Structures are given as C-alpha cells and as structure tokens.
Amino acid sequence: MPDTPAAPAGVDLVATQRRTVRVLAAGQVLSGVAFGSTLSLGALLAADLSGEESLSGFATAAVTLGAALTAIPLARLASRRGRRRALTTGNVAALTGIALVVTAAGARSFPLLLVGIALIGAGNAATLQSRFAATDLATTARRGRDLATVVWATTVGGVVGPLLLAPGELLGASIGMPRLTGAYLFSLLAQAGAFALYALVLRPDPLLLAQRLARDETSAATPTVDVDRPGLARFAVLAVASSHVTMAAVMAMTPVHLSHIVAPDAVTLAVGTTIALHVFGMYGLSPVFGILADRVGRIAVILLGQLLLAGALVTAAVFADAQAGVLVALVLLGLGWSAATVAGSALLTEATPFAWRPRRQGRSDTIMTASAAVGSVLAGVILGEFGYAGLALWAFVPVAVVCLGAGAVRATRV
C-alpha cells in the first residue's frame, strides 16, 4: 500500500495532519499542567494521610493502575467513536478525580485519595494515547517526528506544572483549602481547557478519517503496514513498559527522599524544581529522539534510552545524599524514558496492521502502566529497606531486560 494516502474530495491530508498535530500538542500543554502540578504531590499526600512513608508509593501505584484499567476501554472507544471521544472521556475522569483528591485531603481519607488519584490516572491514559493519535494520518517517514512533537508539547505544561506547587499552596491556604491541595486549582482549570479544546477543535477526528481512508478501495488509503510483525511489536511493548517502570519507580520516591535530605522549609521548592527538570528531560528533547528514530532506526534509539537510564541510576546511587546529584539523575531518567517511549511507540505502530492498532496500542499502555503500578509499590518498600541508592540499583533490572530483548530481536531478525 503506498505511503502517501489519497484523500477524499475536498480533504487536504497534509494540512489535516498538521492541524491535528497542533491541536494534540496544545492539548498536551494543558494536560501537562494538570498532571505535572499534582503528580509530585501524590506521594506527599499519601504519606501524610496514611501516616506511613512506606505507603507513599501507593499514590503512583494508584495513578498508574487507573491508567492501566482504562487504557484498553479508551482504545476501544477510540476505535468505535474516534480519538475525540476517548480524549474527552479521559478529561472528565480526571476532573472528577481532582475533586475527589481535594475532598479526601479535607476528610483525611486515604482510601478516597487513592480513588481520586486513580481517576486522574484514567485521564493520563487518554493523554498517553494522544501520541498515537498523531500517527493515525502520518506517513512512515514522519511518524516518529509527528509522535515526538505531541510528546514534546507536554514539556511546557509538565515543566510549568510542578513550579506551580509553591504558588498553589499559597493560593490554597488563602481560601482555606486543605494542605498540599492548592495546586489542584491549576489542574482543574487546565484539565477543563483540554476538554474544551478536544471537544471543539479536534475536527476531523484523525482516527475516524484514517478508518474511512482504509475502507476506500479506490484510494491509496492510509500509510499503514499491512504485514503483522508480532516479534517487533512484543519487543516494542517490552521496551516501553520496562522503561516506564524504571522511570516511575525512581521518580515516585524522589519527593519522599528529598524530604529527608533538604531543609523542611525548602522541601516544596526542591521537589517542584526537581520534578520540573525531570519532566523537561521526559519531553524537551523528544523531537530529537523522533528524528533519530526516523533516521537511524527505532531499536537503536530504544537502546540509547537504556544507556541514558543506566546513567541516571548510577548517578542516583552514587550521589543519593546530594540534592544536585538527585536532580541530575532525574533529568537523565527523563531523557532515557523519552528516547525509549518515542522510538518504542513508533515501532509498535509500524509493526501492527492498521485495523489492529488502537487495540494493540491500548494493550501496550495497559501493560506499561500496570507494570509501573507494581513497580511503584515495590519502590516504596525498597526505599524503606535499602534507601534511595538501593532503589536505583534495583531499577537496573528492567533496563537489562530491554537490552537482552533487543539482542534477541536482532538475532532473529523479526
């Protein structure tokens, strides 16, 4: 099937794809603010409401579990009703979750907090799937770059979000909100903005248009690969999931660790700054990794990601007691995640026949987030038993698994 699809009368596919990427990118900015301004608060709220630091990992576990449980349903919804419906459904879930988190903090209810965070995770599942929406109409030559552009857009919101923690606390205190919940005001506004953007502006729906092209027997349809390559697809899922486990486990415990090594009155600033730079690492250079994935190959960039993750873990283990060392480790951790996620997502898309893509993409996100949920719970236990350096050493396991998987894939040439 030709790489460049033939468009229906009156439809400029190049212009439509550019508009789609712009809308998705704008939505990622807003979603990044919503998620980034509250992600780092989850562990602190969990420790505060439960009274046990060892339970702080349940916050990240809840958000990842919420994403895992909803990734496949959202993918199926997208397949039937389009990307717009799936994205807005995720926004509604996140808005509900934000309200529950603030209510839980006021009521001092740890279980209700986890429910609210899980719903925010459902919103994050939709946000994650927006990167696949950028590939629905993309050509093979630009698939990595278009996907990476949408991922990159999260940089703006993801960096700004954590920096809103301190002003959010001041704003929340001024209107009587529970402690550690002020930043959720910014999340609420940003999430509502993303909902309006997707509902009103994401037209035509990229997946529905791509499906229409695929059904048109007289056109070149959409730039898909009709041959299924299951070995490559399985490796892509492994690479994305394992890299996400490494990143989530270490990142989730960093706010708690920082609360031990910095002055009490500087914890909020230290956490906000560190997470902001970590998020910049996750998204800031994603276009570079997208270009590299298009030019030098998906597997090569996945392995580059593992090298960056390994560098992050060594730094975290050696300089665990230095705030600057933790900061450098978190930036490297974000860069490694970015390389593996961009290249792995592009590899999964092109190794899968078009008709199967939404379901397989949803399954990939489910595996990714479910694995991270388990890893985050274990991370809290490992942190309590072996410290931050011990956690960093444990996180080498998924990195090694990906490297071994890459060797197996190349040996079998699947």
Side-chain angles (χ1 to χ4, degrees), residues 78-350:
S79 183
R80 295 193 308 268
R81 305 294 297 275
R83 299 288 187 186
R84 182 170 62 252
R85 180 62 63 87
L87 292 173
T88 53
T89 298
N91 291 144
V92 171
L95 286 168
T96 304
I98 291 169
L100 288 180
V101 166
V102 175
T103 301
R108 305 292 299 172
S109 172
F110 181 60
L112 184 61
L113 173 72
L114 296 183
V115 172
I117 292 176
L119 286 171
I120 292 175
N124 191 46
T127 298
L128 286 171
Q129 290 185 14
S130 68
R131 74 191 191 279
F132 291 122
T135 70
D136 290 333
L137 295 170
T139 62
T140 301
R142 289 195 56 87
R143 182 172 291 122
R145 274 170 281 190
D146 286 350
L147 186 152
T149 297
V150 173
V151 173
W152 172 86
T154 311
T155 307
V156 179
V159 171
V160 171
L163 296 178
L164 295 175
L165 296 184
E169 275 300 285
L170 293 176
L171 177 61
S174 70
I175 60 176
M177 292 183 67
R179 192 173 73 89
L180 298 175
T181 63
Y184 284 92
L185 288 173
F186 298 121
S187 292
L188 187 72
L189 293 174
Q191 200 67 251
F195 172 86
L197 181 70
Y198 292 138
L200 301 176
V201 187
L202 189 59
R203 299 172 185 275
D205 187 287
L207 183 55
L208 295 182
L209 178 57
Q211 290 172 340
R212 174 185 172 187
L213 292 171
R215 291 191 299 265
D216 188 354
E217 296 179 353
T218 63
S219 74
T222 181
T224 65
V225 176
D226 284 333
V227 177
D228 187 22
R229 289 177 284 178
L232 278 178
R234 285 193 294 268
F235 171 70
V237 172
L238 172 69
V240 172
S242 297
S243 301
H244 194 66
V245 168
T246 300
M247 184 277 293
V250 177
M251 182 274 295
M253 293 300 102
T254 296
V256 176
H257 176 65
L258 286 173
S259 70
H260 293 156
I261 66 173
V262 302
D265 59 351
V267 170
T268 301
L269 179 61
V271 170
T273 301
T274 301
I275 297 300
L277 290 175
H278 166 67
V279 172
F280 176 80
M282 289 175 66
Y283 303 114
L285 295 185
S286 56
V288 175
F289 295 129
I291 292 171
L292 285 175
D294 286 338
R295 292 183 178 178
V296 305
R298 319 304 192 198
I299 296 178
V301 177
I302 288 171
L303 289 174
L304 172 61
Q306 304 316 298
L307 179 63
L308 290 167
L309 290 174
L313 298 177
V314 169
T315 303
V318 174
F319 301 102
D321 295 326
Q323 183 181 350
V326 173
L327 189 150
V328 171
L330 265 288
V331 172
L332 290 173
L333 196 72
L335 290 171
W337 177 90
S338 180
T341 300
V342 168
S345 299
L347 180 63
L348 175 63
T349 298
E350 65 191 20

